[in-house]
Amino acid sequence: MSEVQDFIRETVTENPVVLFMKGTAQAPQCGFSARTVQILRAVGLSQVVVVNVLDDAEVRQGIKDFSNWPTIPQLYIKGEFVGGSDIVSECMKRRTGTMLREAGALE
Amino acid sequence: MFVTRCLRNMTSRTEIIRNLLTEKFKPTLLEVKCESDQHNVPKGSEMHFYVGVISDEFNGLSILQRHRQISKLVYEQVPGIHALRIHAKSPSEVSDLSDAPDAPKCLGGSRR
C-alpha cells in the first residue's frame, strides 16, 4: 500500500468525521462540496477534519481508489464511507445525524 | 461554401445514459439531464449529469448500494463524465421524482 493510502486510512480512522472536498470549508471551490459543508454546518458539528484534494493530486486520486468512488466530495464517519453530496443531503437528517452524535462530533 | 456533415451516428451521452439505466433497472420513472451548461466548462460539453430513477430493483438496497450500482454502470460505460447527481428510489417510497434536489451552484472548480 502506498504512502497516500496510509495517509488516507490514518486520517479516516483517527478522526470521527472527515470530509474530502474541493477547496476548504471556508472557501469551497465546487458547488457539490459547498453543499456538503453547508449541511454538516447545519447539523451542528464541532469537529470536522477537511482534506482539500485540490492541494494534492495524489490524494485526489488516492481517495477515489480508497473508497472505490469516482467523485469528490466524500464523507467518512468513524472510518466508514458514507457517500457523496447526494447521499449526505438525503441521509443527514435521519440516520447519519444519529451516526454523527454517536461519533461524538455534535456539540 | 462548404457544408460539413457528420456521417457517424452521434448519440448524445444523455441518450446513452438513458438507455443504460433503462436496460439495467427497468425503471417505472427515469429522468436524465445534462447539466454541463451550469458549470465552468466549454459550451456543448456533456460532463455533468443528473439521473432520477424509480425502480423495483432498489427494494431492500441501502442508499449507498443504489448509488454504487448506478455510478459504476455509468462511469464504466461512459468515459469522461465529471459529475453525476443521483436520486434513486423504489416505487414503494415515492410516486414521482418531484422531491429530487436541484443542482448546487457551480463555484468554478479547480479552474477557478
mmCIF file of all heavy atoms in Angstrom, chain A residues 40-93:
data_model
loop_
_atom_site.group_PDB
_atom_site.id
_atom_site.type_symbol
_atom_site.label_atom_id
_atom_site.label_comp_id
_atom_site.label_asym_id
_atom_site.label_seq_id
_atom_site.Cartn_x
_atom_site.Cartn_y
_atom_site.Cartn_z
ATOM 1 N N LEU A 40 -23.238 19.870 6.868
ATOM 2 C CA LEU A 40 -22.511 19.498 8.089
ATOM 3 C C LEU A 40 -22.574 20.641 9.104
ATOM 4 O O LEU A 40 -22.711 20.416 10.312
ATOM 5 C CB LEU A 40 -21.052 19.149 7.764
ATOM 6 C CG LEU A 40 -20.822 17.917 6.881
ATOM 7 C CD1 LEU A 40 -19.335 17.678 6.645
ATOM 8 C CD2 LEU A 40 -21.445 16.670 7.495
ATOM 9 N N ARG A 41 -22.494 21.868 8.602
ATOM 10 C CA ARG A 41 -22.616 23.032 9.494
ATOM 11 C C ARG A 41 -24.005 23.093 10.109
ATOM 12 O O ARG A 41 -24.151 23.340 11.308
ATOM 13 C CB ARG A 41 -22.410 24.329 8.696
ATOM 14 C CG ARG A 41 -21.001 24.714 8.493
ATOM 15 C CD ARG A 41 -20.813 26.224 8.614
ATOM 16 N NE ARG A 41 -19.403 26.511 8.409
ATOM 17 C CZ ARG A 41 -18.855 26.737 7.224
ATOM 18 N NH1 ARG A 41 -19.603 26.774 6.158
ATOM 19 N NH2 ARG A 41 -17.562 26.962 7.117
ATOM 20 N N ALA A 42 -25.003 22.865 9.275
ATOM 21 C CA ALA A 42 -26.394 22.973 9.741
ATOM 22 C C ALA A 42 -26.705 21.922 10.810
ATOM 23 O O ALA A 42 -27.502 22.162 11.714
ATOM 24 C CB ALA A 42 -27.354 22.817 8.564
ATOM 25 N N VAL A 43 -26.053 20.777 10.723
ATOM 26 C CA VAL A 43 -26.272 19.716 11.709
ATOM 27 C C VAL A 43 -25.615 20.092 13.044
ATOM 28 O O VAL A 43 -26.002 19.592 14.099
ATOM 29 C CB VAL A 43 -25.717 18.376 11.168
ATOM 30 C CG1 VAL A 43 -25.637 17.309 12.231
ATOM 31 C CG2 VAL A 43 -26.569 17.892 10.025
ATOM 32 N N GLY A 44 -24.640 20.987 13.005
ATOM 33 C CA GLY A 44 -24.065 21.494 14.246
ATOM 34 C C GLY A 44 -22.816 20.767 14.697
ATOM 35 O O GLY A 44 -22.596 20.536 15.875
ATOM 36 N N LEU A 45 -21.965 20.442 13.748
ATOM 37 C CA LEU A 45 -20.754 19.699 14.101
ATOM 38 C C LEU A 45 -19.703 20.598 14.721
ATOM 39 O O LEU A 45 -19.505 21.725 14.297
ATOM 40 C CB LEU A 45 -20.157 19.066 12.850
ATOM 41 C CG LEU A 45 -21.017 18.000 12.210
ATOM 42 C CD1 LEU A 45 -20.329 17.469 10.988
ATOM 43 C CD2 LEU A 45 -21.264 16.873 13.194
ATOM 44 N N SER A 46 -19.020 20.084 15.725
ATOM 45 C CA SER A 46 -17.955 20.861 16.358
ATOM 46 C C SER A 46 -16.621 20.565 15.707
ATOM 47 O O SER A 46 -15.744 21.407 15.652
ATOM 48 C CB SER A 46 -17.880 20.547 17.847
ATOM 49 O OG SER A 46 -17.656 19.167 18.028
ATOM 50 N N GLN A 47 -16.469 19.346 15.201
ATOM 51 C CA GLN A 47 -15.144 18.936 14.727
ATOM 52 C C GLN A 47 -15.255 18.172 13.427
ATOM 53 O O GLN A 47 -15.695 17.044 13.430
ATOM 54 C CB GLN A 47 -14.519 17.978 15.744
ATOM 55 C CG GLN A 47 -13.746 18.621 16.852
ATOM 56 C CD GLN A 47 -12.305 18.834 16.433
ATOM 57 O OE1 GLN A 47 -11.918 18.591 15.280
ATOM 58 N NE2 GLN A 47 -11.500 19.294 17.360
ATOM 59 N N VAL A 48 -14.854 18.824 12.340
ATOM 60 C CA VAL A 48 -14.786 18.080 11.076
ATOM 61 C C VAL A 48 -13.402 18.284 10.508
ATOM 62 O O VAL A 48 -12.939 19.419 10.386
ATOM 63 C CB VAL A 48 -15.821 18.602 10.046
ATOM 64 C CG1 VAL A 48 -15.696 17.847 8.736
ATOM 65 C CG2 VAL A 48 -17.218 18.469 10.594
ATOM 66 N N VAL A 49 -12.728 17.211 10.196
ATOM 67 C CA VAL A 49 -11.441 17.334 9.518
ATOM 68 C C VAL A 49 -11.718 17.405 8.021
ATOM 69 O O VAL A 49 -12.417 16.560 7.478
ATOM 70 C CB VAL A 49 -10.535 16.121 9.850
ATOM 71 C CG1 VAL A 49 -9.347 16.052 8.895
ATOM 72 C CG2 VAL A 49 -10.067 16.207 11.293
ATOM 73 N N VAL A 50 -11.198 18.449 7.381
ATOM 74 C CA VAL A 50 -11.419 18.629 5.945
ATOM 75 C C VAL A 50 -10.111 18.437 5.195
ATOM 76 O O VAL A 50 -9.079 18.967 5.612
ATOM 77 C CB VAL A 50 -11.973 20.048 5.677
ATOM 78 C CG1 VAL A 50 -11.888 20.385 4.191
ATOM 79 C CG2 VAL A 50 -13.405 20.154 6.146
ATOM 80 N N VAL A 51 -10.138 17.659 4.149
ATOM 81 C CA VAL A 51 -8.964 17.491 3.296
ATOM 82 C C VAL A 51 -9.276 18.120 1.942
ATOM 83 O O VAL A 51 -10.221 17.706 1.267
ATOM 84 C CB VAL A 51 -8.609 15.997 3.120
ATOM 85 C CG1 VAL A 51 -7.396 15.840 2.198
ATOM 86 C CG2 VAL A 51 -8.347 15.344 4.470
ATOM 87 N N ASN A 52 -8.510 19.135 1.564
ATOM 88 C CA ASN A 52 -8.708 19.823 0.287
ATOM 89 C C ASN A 52 -7.942 19.070 -0.808
ATOM 90 O O ASN A 52 -6.724 19.163 -0.912
ATOM 91 C CB ASN A 52 -8.201 21.264 0.397
ATOM 92 C CG ASN A 52 -8.345 22.033 -0.907
ATOM 93 O OD1 ASN A 52 -8.863 21.505 -1.894
ATOM 94 N ND2 ASN A 52 -7.895 23.271 -0.913
ATOM 95 N N VAL A 53 -8.667 18.326 -1.640
ATOM 96 C CA VAL A 53 -7.986 17.487 -2.632
ATOM 97 C C VAL A 53 -7.346 18.301 -3.753
ATOM 98 O O VAL A 53 -6.510 17.806 -4.492
ATOM 99 C CB VAL A 53 -8.935 16.416 -3.234
ATOM 100 C CG1 VAL A 53 -9.521 15.549 -2.142
ATOM 101 C CG2 VAL A 53 -10.015 17.044 -4.083
ATOM 102 N N LEU A 54 -7.739 19.581 -3.872
ATOM 103 C CA LEU A 54 -7.118 20.412 -4.916
ATOM 104 C C LEU A 54 -5.672 20.762 -4.561
ATOM 105 O O LEU A 54 -4.909 21.206 -5.405
ATOM 106 C CB LEU A 54 -7.938 21.680 -5.145
ATOM 107 C CG LEU A 54 -9.348 21.457 -5.656
ATOM 108 C CD1 LEU A 54 -10.050 22.791 -5.888
ATOM 109 C CD2 LEU A 54 -9.360 20.651 -6.952
ATOM 110 N N ASP A 55 -5.320 20.561 -3.295
ATOM 111 C CA ASP A 55 -3.945 20.830 -2.844
ATOM 112 C C ASP A 55 -2.999 19.701 -3.206
ATOM 113 O O ASP A 55 -1.785 19.868 -3.141
ATOM 114 C CB ASP A 55 -3.918 20.934 -1.299
ATOM 115 C CG ASP A 55 -4.250 22.337 -0.850
ATOM 116 O OD1 ASP A 55 -4.231 23.257 -1.698
ATOM 117 O OD2 ASP A 55 -4.533 22.507 0.351
ATOM 118 N N ASP A 56 -3.544 18.532 -3.508
ATOM 119 C CA ASP A 56 -2.685 17.346 -3.632
ATOM 120 C C ASP A 56 -3.305 16.356 -4.622
ATOM 121 O O ASP A 56 -4.263 15.664 -4.302
ATOM 122 C CB ASP A 56 -2.537 16.710 -2.245
ATOM 123 C CG ASP A 56 -1.484 15.606 -2.217
ATOM 124 O OD1 ASP A 56 -1.248 14.945 -3.252
ATOM 125 O OD2 ASP A 56 -0.907 15.386 -1.144
ATOM 126 N N ALA A 57 -2.733 16.298 -5.807
ATOM 127 C CA ALA A 57 -3.287 15.447 -6.868
ATOM 128 C C ALA A 57 -3.260 13.972 -6.500
ATOM 129 O O ALA A 57 -4.132 13.204 -6.910
ATOM 130 C CB ALA A 57 -2.523 15.671 -8.164
ATOM 131 N N GLU A 58 -2.267 13.575 -5.696
ATOM 132 C CA GLU A 58 -2.187 12.158 -5.309
ATOM 133 C C GLU A 58 -3.304 11.781 -4.347
ATOM 134 O O GLU A 58 -3.854 10.686 -4.420
ATOM 135 C CB GLU A 58 -0.828 11.858 -4.651
ATOM 136 C CG GLU A 58 0.284 11.789 -5.677
ATOM 137 C CD GLU A 58 1.576 11.256 -5.078
ATOM 138 O OE1 GLU A 58 1.539 10.690 -3.966
ATOM 139 O OE2 GLU A 58 2.615 11.413 -5.751
ATOM 140 N N VAL A 59 -3.635 12.712 -3.461
ATOM 141 C CA VAL A 59 -4.745 12.445 -2.543
ATOM 142 C C VAL A 59 -6.062 12.473 -3.306
ATOM 143 O O VAL A 59 -6.967 11.680 -3.052
ATOM 144 C CB VAL A 59 -4.763 13.455 -1.380
ATOM 145 C CG1 VAL A 59 -6.034 13.326 -0.554
ATOM 146 C CG2 VAL A 59 -3.547 13.258 -0.500
ATOM 147 N N ARG A 60 -6.154 13.386 -4.264
ATOM 148 C CA ARG A 60 -7.379 13.487 -5.065
ATOM 149 C C ARG A 60 -7.675 12.162 -5.780
ATOM 150 O O ARG A 60 -8.813 11.690 -5.786
ATOM 151 C CB ARG A 60 -7.216 14.609 -6.092
ATOM 152 C CG ARG A 60 -8.463 14.861 -6.915
ATOM 153 C CD ARG A 60 -8.270 16.075 -7.817
ATOM 154 N NE ARG A 60 -9.447 16.312 -8.646
ATOM 155 C CZ ARG A 60 -9.580 17.381 -9.428
ATOM 156 N NH1 ARG A 60 -8.645 18.300 -9.476
ATOM 157 N NH2 ARG A 60 -10.659 17.516 -10.160
ATOM 158 N N GLN A 61 -6.664 11.531 -6.344
ATOM 159 C CA GLN A 61 -6.869 10.231 -6.983
ATOM 160 C C GLN A 61 -6.923 9.118 -5.940
ATOM 161 O O GLN A 61 -7.723 8.193 -6.039
ATOM 162 C CB GLN A 61 -5.736 9.945 -7.989
ATOM 163 C CG GLN A 61 -5.912 8.665 -8.766
ATOM 164 C CD GLN A 61 -7.243 8.554 -9.480
ATOM 165 O OE1 GLN A 61 -7.694 9.490 -10.143
ATOM 166 N NE2 GLN A 61 -7.918 7.427 -9.333
ATOM 167 N N GLY A 62 -6.075 9.260 -4.916
ATOM 168 C CA GLY A 62 -5.966 8.226 -3.888
ATOM 169 C C GLY A 62 -7.272 7.953 -3.155
ATOM 170 O O GLY A 62 -7.628 6.812 -2.871
ATOM 171 N N ILE A 63 -8.019 9.024 -2.850
ATOM 172 C CA ILE A 63 -9.272 8.821 -2.110
ATOM 173 C C ILE A 63 -10.313 8.136 -3.007
ATOM 174 O O ILE A 63 -11.139 7.352 -2.536
ATOM 175 C CB ILE A 63 -9.808 10.150 -1.502
ATOM 176 C CG1 ILE A 63 -10.998 9.898 -0.577
ATOM 177 C CG2 ILE A 63 -10.212 11.139 -2.581
ATOM 178 C CD1 ILE A 63 -10.720 8.974 0.587
ATOM 179 N N LYS A 64 -10.255 8.380 -4.296
ATOM 180 C CA LYS A 64 -11.185 7.707 -5.215
ATOM 181 C C LYS A 64 -10.888 6.208 -5.272
ATOM 182 O O LYS A 64 -11.810 5.385 -5.307
ATOM 183 C CB LYS A 64 -11.070 8.299 -6.617
ATOM 184 C CG LYS A 64 -11.526 9.754 -6.690
ATOM 185 C CD LYS A 64 -11.307 10.326 -8.078
ATOM 186 C CE LYS A 64 -11.626 11.802 -8.106
ATOM 187 N NZ LYS A 64 -11.370 12.396 -9.441
ATOM 188 N N ASP A 65 -9.602 5.874 -5.251
ATOM 189 C CA ASP A 65 -9.214 4.447 -5.224
ATOM 190 C C ASP A 65 -9.587 3.822 -3.887
ATOM 191 O O ASP A 65 -10.119 2.715 -3.831
ATOM 192 C CB ASP A 65 -7.700 4.299 -5.423
ATOM 193 C CG ASP A 65 -7.244 4.824 -6.787
ATOM 194 O OD1 ASP A 65 -8.068 4.820 -7.727
ATOM 195 O OD2 ASP A 65 -6.068 5.234 -6.896
ATOM 196 N N PHE A 66 -9.319 4.549 -2.812
ATOM 197 C CA PHE A 66 -9.551 4.035 -1.463
ATOM 198 C C PHE A 66 -11.019 3.700 -1.235
ATOM 199 O O PHE A 66 -11.369 2.672 -0.669
ATOM 200 C CB PHE A 66 -9.079 5.097 -0.454
ATOM 201 C CG PHE A 66 -9.076 4.655 0.983
ATOM 202 C CD1 PHE A 66 -7.984 3.994 1.517
ATOM 203 C CD2 PHE A 66 -10.159 4.919 1.806
ATOM 204 C CE1 PHE A 66 -7.966 3.588 2.849
ATOM 205 C CE2 PHE A 66 -10.163 4.514 3.142
ATOM 206 C CZ PHE A 66 -9.059 3.856 3.654
ATOM 207 N N SER A 67 -11.889 4.603 -1.683
ATOM 208 C CA SER A 67 -13.331 4.446 -1.466
ATOM 209 C C SER A 67 -14.000 3.648 -2.570
ATOM 210 O O SER A 67 -15.159 3.251 -2.433
ATOM 211 C CB SER A 67 -14.022 5.816 -1.429
ATOM 212 O OG SER A 67 -13.351 6.699 -0.600
ATOM 213 N N ASN A 68 -13.294 3.473 -3.677
ATOM 214 C CA ASN A 68 -13.903 2.909 -4.883
ATOM 215 C C ASN A 68 -15.126 3.743 -5.267
ATOM 216 O O ASN A 68 -16.228 3.236 -5.474
ATOM 217 C CB ASN A 68 -14.274 1.436 -4.674
ATOM 218 C CG ASN A 68 -14.699 0.762 -5.972
ATOM 219 O OD1 ASN A 68 -14.330 1.207 -7.057
ATOM 220 N ND2 ASN A 68 -15.489 -0.295 -5.875
ATOM 221 N N TRP A 69 -14.906 5.054 -5.280
ATOM 222 C CA TRP A 69 -15.971 6.015 -5.585
ATOM 223 C C TRP A 69 -15.364 7.103 -6.444
ATOM 224 O O TRP A 69 -14.321 7.641 -6.080
ATOM 225 C CB TRP A 69 -16.532 6.587 -4.270
ATOM 226 C CG TRP A 69 -17.688 7.498 -4.468
ATOM 227 C CD1 TRP A 69 -17.679 8.865 -4.462
ATOM 228 C CD2 TRP A 69 -19.045 7.108 -4.723
ATOM 229 N NE1 TRP A 69 -18.942 9.339 -4.673
ATOM 230 C CE2 TRP A 69 -19.793 8.291 -4.848
ATOM 231 C CE3 TRP A 69 -19.683 5.875 -4.837
ATOM 232 C CZ2 TRP A 69 -21.167 8.266 -5.096
ATOM 233 C CZ3 TRP A 69 -21.045 5.868 -5.090
ATOM 234 C CH2 TRP A 69 -21.765 7.049 -5.214
ATOM 235 N N PRO A 70 -15.992 7.436 -7.577
ATOM 236 C CA PRO A 70 -15.281 8.251 -8.566
ATOM 237 C C PRO A 70 -15.239 9.767 -8.362
ATOM 238 O O PRO A 70 -14.559 10.456 -9.126
ATOM 239 C CB PRO A 70 -16.058 7.947 -9.854
ATOM 240 C CG PRO A 70 -17.433 7.621 -9.394
ATOM 241 C CD PRO A 70 -17.307 6.977 -8.059
ATOM 242 N N THR A 71 -15.998 10.279 -7.397
ATOM 243 C CA THR A 71 -16.094 11.738 -7.329
ATOM 244 C C THR A 71 -15.824 12.294 -5.937
ATOM 245 O O THR A 71 -15.775 11.596 -4.939
ATOM 246 C CB THR A 71 -17.487 12.214 -7.774
ATOM 247 O OG1 THR A 71 -18.485 11.448 -7.075
ATOM 248 C CG2 THR A 71 -17.678 12.003 -9.271
ATOM 249 N N ILE A 72 -15.661 13.619 -5.918
ATOM 250 C CA ILE A 72 -15.441 14.394 -4.694
ATOM 251 C C ILE A 72 -16.635 15.330 -4.580
ATOM 252 O O ILE A 72 -17.042 15.898 -5.605
ATOM 253 C CB ILE A 72 -14.155 15.250 -4.835
ATOM 254 C CG1 ILE A 72 -12.967 14.391 -5.248
ATOM 255 C CG2 ILE A 72 -13.867 16.026 -3.565
ATOM 256 C CD1 ILE A 72 -12.464 13.429 -4.223
ATOM 257 N N PRO A 73 -17.270 15.566 -3.446
ATOM 258 C CA PRO A 73 -16.789 15.297 -2.090
ATOM 259 C C PRO A 73 -17.066 13.864 -1.608
ATOM 260 O O PRO A 73 -17.886 13.163 -2.202
ATOM 261 C CB PRO A 73 -17.604 16.287 -1.248
ATOM 262 C CG PRO A 73 -18.890 16.420 -1.973
ATOM 263 C CD PRO A 73 -18.530 16.359 -3.433
ATOM 264 N N GLN A 74 -16.374 13.472 -0.539
ATOM 265 C CA GLN A 74 -16.575 12.171 0.081
ATOM 266 C C GLN A 74 -16.540 12.344 1.594
ATOM 267 O O GLN A 74 -15.600 12.898 2.139
ATOM 268 C CB GLN A 74 -15.470 11.195 -0.318
ATOM 269 C CG GLN A 74 -15.421 10.898 -1.804
ATOM 270 C CD GLN A 74 -14.531 9.727 -2.129
ATOM 271 O OE1 GLN A 74 -14.122 8.990 -1.247
ATOM 272 N NE2 GLN A 74 -14.228 9.543 -3.413
ATOM 273 N N LEU A 75 -17.594 11.838 2.251
ATOM 274 C CA LEU A 75 -17.684 11.962 3.700
ATOM 275 C C LEU A 75 -17.412 10.623 4.370
ATOM 276 O O LEU A 75 -17.976 9.601 3.969
ATOM 277 C CB LEU A 75 -19.076 12.463 4.113
ATOM 278 C CG LEU A 75 -19.292 12.634 5.621
ATOM 279 C CD1 LEU A 75 -18.429 13.758 6.165
ATOM 280 C CD2 LEU A 75 -20.768 12.902 5.934
ATOM 281 N N TYR A 76 -16.554 10.654 5.384
ATOM 282 C CA TYR A 76 -16.275 9.472 6.205
ATOM 283 C C TYR A 76 -16.731 9.743 7.632
ATOM 284 O O TYR A 76 -16.461 10.815 8.181
ATOM 285 C CB TYR A 76 -14.776 9.156 6.212
ATOM 286 C CG TYR A 76 -14.353 8.287 5.058
ATOM 287 C CD1 TYR A 76 -14.175 8.835 3.786
ATOM 288 C CD2 TYR A 76 -14.175 6.921 5.231
ATOM 289 C CE1 TYR A 76 -13.821 8.026 2.721
ATOM 290 C CE2 TYR A 76 -13.814 6.113 4.171
ATOM 291 C CZ TYR A 76 -13.646 6.669 2.918
ATOM 292 O OH TYR A 76 -13.287 5.874 1.855
ATOM 293 N N ILE A 77 -17.437 8.782 8.225
ATOM 294 C CA ILE A 77 -17.812 8.873 9.635
ATOM 295 C C ILE A 77 -17.326 7.616 10.332
ATOM 296 O O ILE A 77 -17.670 6.507 9.923
ATOM 297 C CB ILE A 77 -19.338 9.036 9.808
ATOM 298 C CG1 ILE A 77 -19.771 10.362 9.199
ATOM 299 C CG2 ILE A 77 -19.721 8.958 11.278
ATOM 300 C CD1 ILE A 77 -21.247 10.639 9.309
ATOM 301 N N LYS A 78 -16.517 7.794 11.383
ATOM 302 C CA LYS A 78 -15.937 6.683 12.131
ATOM 303 C C LYS A 78 -15.294 5.659 11.196
ATOM 304 O O LYS A 78 -15.510 4.468 11.330
ATOM 305 C CB LYS A 78 -17.004 5.999 12.986
ATOM 306 C CG LYS A 78 -17.251 6.672 14.321
ATOM 307 C CD LYS A 78 -18.429 6.000 15.017
ATOM 308 C CE LYS A 78 -18.215 5.888 16.497
ATOM 309 N NZ LYS A 78 -19.371 5.342 17.183
ATOM 310 N N GLY A 79 -14.550 6.175 10.244
ATOM 311 C CA GLY A 79 -13.808 5.287 9.367
ATOM 312 C C GLY A 79 -14.602 4.640 8.255
ATOM 313 O O GLY A 79 -14.055 3.890 7.450
ATOM 314 N N GLU A 80 -15.903 4.941 8.193
ATOM 315 C CA GLU A 80 -16.749 4.295 7.187
ATOM 316 C C GLU A 80 -17.167 5.304 6.120
ATOM 317 O O GLU A 80 -17.552 6.430 6.457
ATOM 318 C CB GLU A 80 -17.985 3.754 7.889
ATOM 319 C CG GLU A 80 -18.831 2.790 7.079
ATOM 320 C CD GLU A 80 -20.105 2.408 7.835
ATOM 321 O OE1 GLU A 80 -19.981 1.957 9.000
ATOM 322 O OE2 GLU A 80 -21.197 2.571 7.269
ATOM 323 N N PHE A 81 -17.102 4.913 4.858
ATOM 324 C CA PHE A 81 -17.515 5.791 3.770
ATOM 325 C C PHE A 81 -19.035 5.940 3.783
ATOM 326 O O PHE A 81 -19.766 4.961 3.728
ATOM 327 C CB PHE A 81 -17.052 5.210 2.431
ATOM 328 C CG PHE A 81 -17.490 6.010 1.236
ATOM 329 C CD1 PHE A 81 -17.113 7.342 1.104
ATOM 330 C CD2 PHE A 81 -18.284 5.444 0.238
ATOM 331 C CE1 PHE A 81 -17.509 8.087 -0.008
ATOM 332 C CE2 PHE A 81 -18.679 6.180 -0.865
ATOM 333 C CZ PHE A 81 -18.300 7.505 -0.989
ATOM 334 N N VAL A 82 -19.489 7.185 3.878
ATOM 335 C CA VAL A 82 -20.932 7.459 3.907
ATOM 336 C C VAL A 82 -21.442 7.739 2.503
ATOM 337 O O VAL A 82 -22.477 7.227 2.087
ATOM 338 C CB VAL A 82 -21.219 8.665 4.834
ATOM 339 C CG1 VAL A 82 -22.665 9.117 4.723
ATOM 340 C CG2 VAL A 82 -20.880 8.294 6.271
ATOM 341 N N GLY A 83 -20.732 8.576 1.761
ATOM 342 C CA GLY A 83 -21.159 8.878 0.400
ATOM 343 C C GLY A 83 -20.750 10.266 -0.030
ATOM 344 O O GLY A 83 -19.982 10.947 0.644
ATOM 345 N N GLY A 84 -21.298 10.670 -1.179
ATOM 346 C CA GLY A 84 -21.034 11.992 -1.736
ATOM 347 C C GLY A 84 -22.127 12.963 -1.354
ATOM 348 O O GLY A 84 -22.907 12.723 -0.434
ATOM 349 N N SER A 85 -22.220 14.066 -2.106
ATOM 350 C CA SER A 85 -23.123 15.130 -1.665
ATOM 351 C C SER A 85 -24.599 14.741 -1.733
ATOM 352 O O SER A 85 -25.390 15.167 -0.894
ATOM 353 C CB SER A 85 -22.865 16.427 -2.434
ATOM 354 O OG SER A 85 -23.474 16.389 -3.695
ATOM 355 N N ASP A 86 -24.977 13.912 -2.691
ATOM 356 C CA ASP A 86 -26.380 13.486 -2.782
ATOM 357 C C ASP A 86 -26.787 12.704 -1.545
ATOM 358 O O ASP A 86 -27.854 12.905 -0.971
ATOM 359 C CB ASP A 86 -26.607 12.552 -3.969
ATOM 360 C CG ASP A 86 -26.418 13.248 -5.289
ATOM 361 O OD1 ASP A 86 -26.555 14.479 -5.341
ATOM 362 O OD2 ASP A 86 -26.142 12.546 -6.277
ATOM 363 N N ILE A 87 -25.923 11.761 -1.153
ATOM 364 C CA ILE A 87 -26.233 10.882 -0.033
ATOM 365 C C ILE A 87 -26.227 11.678 1.259
ATOM 366 O O ILE A 87 -27.106 11.510 2.114
ATOM 367 C CB ILE A 87 -25.239 9.700 0.030
ATOM 368 C CG1 ILE A 87 -25.429 8.834 -1.213
ATOM 369 C CG2 ILE A 87 -25.430 8.901 1.302
ATOM 370 C CD1 ILE A 87 -24.507 7.643 -1.275
ATOM 371 N N VAL A 88 -25.268 12.564 1.426
ATOM 372 C CA VAL A 88 -25.212 13.380 2.633
ATOM 373 C C VAL A 88 -26.464 14.242 2.737
ATOM 374 O O VAL A 88 -27.074 14.350 3.796
ATOM 375 C CB VAL A 88 -23.944 14.263 2.644
ATOM 376 C CG1 VAL A 88 -23.975 15.258 3.794
ATOM 377 C CG2 VAL A 88 -22.708 13.400 2.757
ATOM 378 N N SER A 89 -26.888 14.815 1.618
ATOM 379 C CA SER A 89 -28.110 15.623 1.601
ATOM 380 C C SER A 89 -29.291 14.809 2.093
ATOM 381 O O SER A 89 -30.084 15.254 2.912
ATOM 382 C CB SER A 89 -28.444 16.090 0.182
ATOM 383 O OG SER A 89 -27.468 16.938 -0.313
ATOM 384 N N GLU A 90 -29.414 13.609 1.602
ATOM 385 C CA GLU A 90 -30.601 12.818 1.909
ATOM 386 C C GLU A 90 -30.550 12.213 3.308
ATOM 387 O O GLU A 90 -31.540 12.163 4.021
ATOM 388 C CB GLU A 90 -30.760 11.695 0.878
ATOM 389 C CG GLU A 90 -32.091 11.032 1.014
ATOM 390 C CD GLU A 90 -32.486 10.264 -0.234
ATOM 391 O OE1 GLU A 90 -31.956 10.554 -1.320
ATOM 392 O OE2 GLU A 90 -33.332 9.390 -0.096
ATOM 393 N N CYS A 91 -29.402 11.722 3.689
ATOM 394 C CA CYS A 91 -29.323 10.978 4.941
ATOM 395 C C CYS A 91 -29.143 11.846 6.171
ATOM 396 O O CYS A 91 -29.426 11.409 7.268
ATOM 397 C CB CYS A 91 -28.134 10.023 4.900
ATOM 398 S SG CYS A 91 -28.466 8.579 3.922
ATOM 399 N N MET A 92 -28.635 13.040 5.986
ATOM 400 C CA MET A 92 -28.172 13.792 7.140
ATOM 401 C C MET A 92 -29.247 13.965 8.194
ATOM 402 O O MET A 92 -28.976 13.919 9.370
ATOM 403 C CB MET A 92 -27.615 15.142 6.686
ATOM 404 C CG MET A 92 -26.869 15.866 7.773
ATOM 405 S SD MET A 92 -25.656 14.835 8.606
ATOM 406 C CE MET A 92 -24.298 14.887 7.452
ATOM 407 N N LYS A 93 -30.460 14.181 7.787
ATOM 408 C CA LYS A 93 -31.493 14.388 8.803
ATOM 409 C C LYS A 93 -31.878 13.116 9.519
ATOM 410 O O LYS A 93 -32.443 13.166 10.606
ATOM 411 C CB LYS A 93 -32.720 15.024 8.176
ATOM 412 C CG LYS A 93 -32.425 16.444 7.753
ATOM 413 C CD LYS A 93 -33.607 17.165 7.159
ATOM 414 C CE LYS A 93 -33.159 18.549 6.737
ATOM 415 N NZ LYS A 93 -33.307 18.780 5.315
#
